[in-house]
Amino acid sequence: MTVFVLLTAFPIGVLWHQSSEKVVLQTIERLYQHSSKAVKNQLDGFFEEANHVYLHQERYAEQLPEIIKHREQLFSHIAHILNHHSSIDYFYFANPQGGIISFGSDTEGNFIRIESNNGVAGPLSSFVTDYQGLNSNQIGHNDYFNATERGWYQNAIAADKPVWSKIYKGAIDQSLLGASLSKALRDEDGNILGVWGLDLTLDSVISRLKKNKLSENGFVAILNDSETILASSDSKHHAIDGQLQTVSEQRTPVLYQLVNNTRQTQESVQTTRYENEDWVGFVTHYPIGSANRYQLSLVFYSPLSDFSPALENANNSAFALTLIMVLFALYFGKLSTLHILSPIQQLTKTAKRISHGKKQKIIKIEREDELGELATSFNQMTSNLASTINKLEQEQQETIRLNALLEAQNSKLEEQVKRRTIALTEANEKLKALAYIDSLTGISNRGYFWEQLEAESARRNGWLLILDLDNFKTINDKYGHLIGDEVLKHFTQLCQQVLKPNTLIGRVGGEEFAIWCTKASKNDITQIASNLFALLKRSPLEHEGLSITISTSIGASYCCGNPEKAYAAADKLLYQAKHSGKSQIVLESLAHEGQ
């Protein structure tokens, strides 16, 4: 009986522990996969936005050589580009004399202007300004700065297309690290007029990483191919005196162990133990640069206890129950042994006593030989056998009851695992929504809209509409960003009212939206725009006593399987609509107006 209970309790406890841990790790792996996709989508959005800056500039190609000659016109152009591409941290221009003028914003939302004092190589100053670059206060300086000596400048003049640089230090703040996408500006004869550049700072990347942690105590880090930590949500990994840290066993022990474990098995959950705590991690790759010259590693890791506190409690309960069963089995076995063997020993002693004639018994055998002794012992054992069997049956019923109790406990533990799995699945669905939906307006985000547009435009032709809210910056400055967010949500709701069901709509910039219409003629597009203008005019945003009337400008291009070309055309038409009085639509002229 003791061996039976031991063999039952141990396997059940061990099997339950292993199966529940496997289910949790598989669920965590799926969560990490969706979280890594969300981070990659954000990086895709930035890199795509960076290339769109230069696509945006093509509309001014003929004007740029004249614009760069005048400081005010150049700064106005830089501010205009930056305001249309809000995910870019800094946009700037460097001339062949080593001077630079730059405009952007830091992670705290301050607008920063950086400018060479004399327009050439020499002293450099930085200022906090308003969104137009005016009303500035100096916050830093550099005694000497020459843009032509920077790697991003030299890489740009050696290439015909925009080129990504490696990580480098800021011109003013040496602790501010970032990467630059730079492009040379040439005249008609191919002579260098200067270099355009735009920056992604590591501080802004870190703020994005913190939003994608899967748990309260979890971390996200980005490494290069030399295992240098480019960005991390863990402040212990940030650059020290402008120098990036490298993954090491001394400074980053958990990250070091996880990276080593995943060198051979990529994109799978790995576990490690550090200072009596279990950690779970996931590593995936992200290529950047032309021809994927550079490759980043995204590392997600968290304490296992963040994901499964209920599992830990269940494991502890299972082990405690198993231990109780083992102790009960030993105690029960001892009692059973004493209870079963004692009557047999007493029976044997009594049989011997009777055989020796020490105690008189009523025996119907008159012989005192071995047969008489056997008969006497058999009669005595028979009289006790019925009592022993009855007791064994009671013990068997008790064993059945205990097994039923153990089975009920196992069912309860399985139900706990099931509920935990459902909760993790719901979290998985929420992460999936974050990867595709704009959190403010509830419509497709930029990455998901272009993914759908590429698929739809490959199957059928249609109209691509680019919409930009008029005077949105003025609304933000006058009423604040919270009202600005309400304006964006109100505008989205009005757009959806004039569109047919299932029409593709997405937010592709700060106040820029895109609509894809199929099976529509030029007149249909004009009617949609007319309906939208009328609805906007009669439906102002009413918020806490304010009444704000919204208007929009629209550029519309007919797309025949080339969404990038259609976007460039629609963006130019949007620019025309803006400079022709706003609150109007400019459509692309077609060879066949019936389309």
Side-chain angles (χ1 to χ4, degrees):
M1 182 62 69
T2 303
V3 174
F4 171 74
V5 177
L6 289 174
L7 292 178
T8 302
F10 271 119
I12 290 176
V14 172
L15 287 175
W16 182 89
H17 172 74
Q18 291 178 345
S19 62
S20 60
E21 188 176 76
K22 183 178 180 181
V23 169
V24 171
L25 288 178
Q26 288 175 346
T27 305
I28 292 173
E29 182 172 352
R30 288 194 294 270
L31 286 174
Y32 274 141
Q33 288 172 347
H34 284 293
S35 185
S36 67
K37 186 173 183 180
V39 175
K40 289 180 179 180
N41 283 340
Q42 289 184 355
L43 292 175
D44 285 341
F46 171 79
F47 293 124
E48 184 178 356
E49 182 81 358
N51 285 289
H52 274 296
V53 169
Y54 293 117
L55 183 63
H56 190 171
Q57 271 202 306
E58 290 183 3
R59 69 179 65 166
Y60 309 104
E62 296 180 357
Q63 307 171 30
L64 291 178
E66 186 63 28
I67 288 176
I68 65 174
K69 295 179 181 179
H70 307 282
R71 176 187 176 279
E72 291 77 12
Q73 293 184 23
L74 174 58
F75 189 78
S76 177
H77 173 75
I78 290 174
H80 173 72
I81 294 295
L82 193 66
N83 288 330
H84 277 76
H85 301 276
S86 57
S87 66
I88 304 304
D89 292 331
Y90 289 91
F91 187 56
Y92 45 89
F93 178 78
N95 60 40
Q97 292 77 40
I100 190 172
I101 182 169
S102 171
F103 188 53
S105 60
D106 59 20
T107 55
E108 297 178 355
N110 299 314
F111 291 97
I112 306 297
R113 186 180 84 239
I114 301 175
E115 187 174 5
S116 296
N117 292 0
N118 301 313
V120 297
L124 186 72
S125 300
S126 62
F127 306 85
V128 173
T129 74
D130 57 21
Y131 76 99
Q132 295 178 329
L134 306 177
N135 302 322
S136 58
N137 293 316
Q138 185 171 346
I139 58 173
H141 73 280
N142 188 331
D143 292 335
Y144 181 79
F145 176 81
N146 187 345
T148 62
E149 296 176 352
R150 291 291 177 123
W152 53 265
Y153 187 99
Q154 296 170 1
N155 291 341
I157 63 177
D160 295 328
K161 297 180 179 179
V163 180
W164 280 104
S165 73
K166 292 188 176 181
I167 301 297
Y168 65 91
K169 300 178 181 180
I172 299 290
D173 185 353
Q174 297 291 305
S175 66
L176 189 65
L177 307 176
S180 173
L181 179 64
S182 54
K183 181 182 179 182
L185 176 65
R186 294 179 170 86
D187 60 17
E188 295 180 353
D189 298 326
N191 299 317
I192 297 295
L193 299 178
V195 171
W196 299 102
L198 54 86
D199 281 355
L200 169 64
T201 62
L202 295 190
D203 284 348
S204 64
V205 173
I206 292 170
S207 67
R208 292 184 178 98
L209 291 182
K210 290 180 178 178
K211 297 178 181 178
N212 286 277
K213 296 194 307 179
L214 286 185
S215 67
E216 179 181 358
N217 300 305
F219 302 98
V220 187
I222 298 180
L223 317 178
N224 63 11
D225 50 9
S226 300
E227 296 184 357
T228 298
I229 304 174
L230 303 181
S232 174
S233 61
D234 188 349
S235 59
K236 296 178 182 178
H237 299 166
H238 293 180
I240 300 175
D241 298 329
Q243 297 295 324
L244 294 171
Q245 295 191 51
T246 300
V247 174
S248 66
E249 189 173 4
Q250 291 73 31
R251 288 188 174 181
T252 60
V254 175
L255 191 57
Y256 174 81
Q257 294 177 29
L258 290 173
V259 170
N260 281 341
N261 292 343
T262 55
R263 283 199 178 102
Q264 302 299 326
T265 54
Q266 297 295 335
E267 297 204 357
S268 64
V269 167
Q270 298 292 327
T271 58
T272 187
R273 190 167 182 81
Y274 177 70
E275 291 186 349
N276 298 321
E277 185 170 22
D278 291 322
W279 290 75
V280 59
F282 181 82
V283 178
T284 185
H285 293 312
Y286 181 83
I288 64 171
S290 58
N292 297 335
R293 280 196 307 171
Y294 309 122
Q295 180 168 270
L296 304 179
S297 294
L298 306 180
V299 185
F300 301 80
Y301 58 105
S302 303
L304 185 58
S305 58
D306 279 7
F307 294 101
S308 53
L311 176 63
E312 265 189 41
N313 294 335
N315 283 340
N316 293 336
S317 298
F319 283 123
L321 180 61
T322 302
L323 180 60
I324 291 172
M325 289 297 298
V326 169
L327 295 175
F328 178 78
L330 294 174
Y331 179 73
F332 180 74
K334 183 177 181 179
L335 290 180
S336 298
T337 300
L338 294 175
H339 190 67
I340 294 172
L341 293 181
S342 180
I344 295 176
Q345 293 172 350
Q346 292 175 4
L347 179 60
T348 303
K349 183 184 292 186
T350 301
K352 289 182 179 180
R353 291 177 63 184
I354 293 174
S355 66
H356 293 155
K358 293 181 179 180
K359 187 176 182 180
Q360 299 294 327
K361 290 291 183 180
I362 300 174
I363 298 175
K364 295 182 179 181
I365 298 177
E366 298 178 356
R367 298 169 54 180
E368 295 183 359
D369 55 10
E370 293 178 355
L371 182 60
E373 184 180 350
L374 179 61
T376 302
S377 299
F378 180 79
N379 289 335
Q380 185 64 38
M381 285 188 293
T382 301
S383 65
N384 290 298
L385 183 58
S387 176
T388 302
I389 291 174
N390 184 49
K391 292 178 181 179
L392 287 175
E393 287 177 350
Q394 293 177 359
E395 293 164 2
Q396 184 180 19
Q397 292 299 321
E398 181 66 11
T399 301
I400 293 173
R401 187 184 71 82
L402 292 175
N403 286 337
L405 178 63
L406 183 59
E407 183 177 352
Q409 185 65 27
N410 287 337
S411 298
K412 182 178 179 181
L413 293 176
E414 289 175 359
E415 181 63 26
Q416 291 178 353
V417 173
K418 183 179 179 180
R419 289 198 299 269
R420 184 61 179 170
T421 302
I422 292 173
L424 291 174
T425 302
E426 292 175 353
N428 184 13
E429 291 299 323
K430 291 180 181 178
L431 281 176
K432 184 177 180 181
L434 290 175
Y436 298 111
I437 302 301
D438 178 56
S439 60
L440 178 63
T441 61
I443 60 177
S444 298
N445 60 22
R446 180 186 186 91
Y448 189 49
F449 177 84
W450 285 111
E451 180 181 323
Q452 295 179 89
L453 177 59
E454 289 180 358
E456 290 293 326
S457 62
R459 292 196 292 268
R460 60 178 70 88
N461 297 339
W463 285 89
L464 177 62
L465 283 67
I466 304 300
L467 302 83
D468 191 272
L469 269 67
D470 298 329
N471 307 314
F472 184 71
K473 294 294 183 182
T474 302
I475 293 174
N476 266 344
D477 293 338
K478 185 175 181 180
Y479 301 107
H481 289 283
L482 293 179
I483 297 299
D485 288 346
E486 294 299 322
V487 168
L488 292 174
K489 291 190 285 186
H490 184 66
F491 177 73
T492 302
Q493 294 169 359
L494 296 182
C495 285
Q496 291 174 321
Q497 292 182 27
V498 302
L499 296 175
K500 293 180 179 180
N502 300 323
T503 300
L504 188 59
I505 180 172
R507 183 184 177 196
V508 298
E511 67 272 21
E512 188 172 288
F513 297 78
I515 298 174
W516 169 251
C517 296
T518 59
K519 298 182 180 179
S521 66
K522 190 172 183 179
N523 289 336
D524 294 334
I525 300 303
T526 303
Q527 187 61 48
I528 290 173
S530 177
N531 294 340
L532 178 58
F533 294 148
L535 183 59
L536 289 170
K537 187 174 182 181
R538 67 174 181 266
S539 304
L541 172 64
E542 304 292 344
H543 185 84
E544 296 182 357
L546 297 175
S547 180
I548 304 173
T549 300
I550 309 169
S551 66
T552 184
S553 300
I554 307 174
S557 172
Y558 192 73
C559 178
C560 301
N562 190 337
E564 291 82 4
K565 182 178 178 182
Y567 173 80
D571 203 31
K572 288 184 179 180
L573 297 173
L574 170 63
Y575 183 75
Q576 293 180 18
K578 286 284 188 181
H579 287 269
S580 298
K582 302 180 180 178
S583 189
Q584 58 181 285
I585 183 172
V586 178
L587 290 89
E588 180 180 21
S589 299
L590 302 176
H592 302 287
E593 292 296 337
Q595 295 189 54

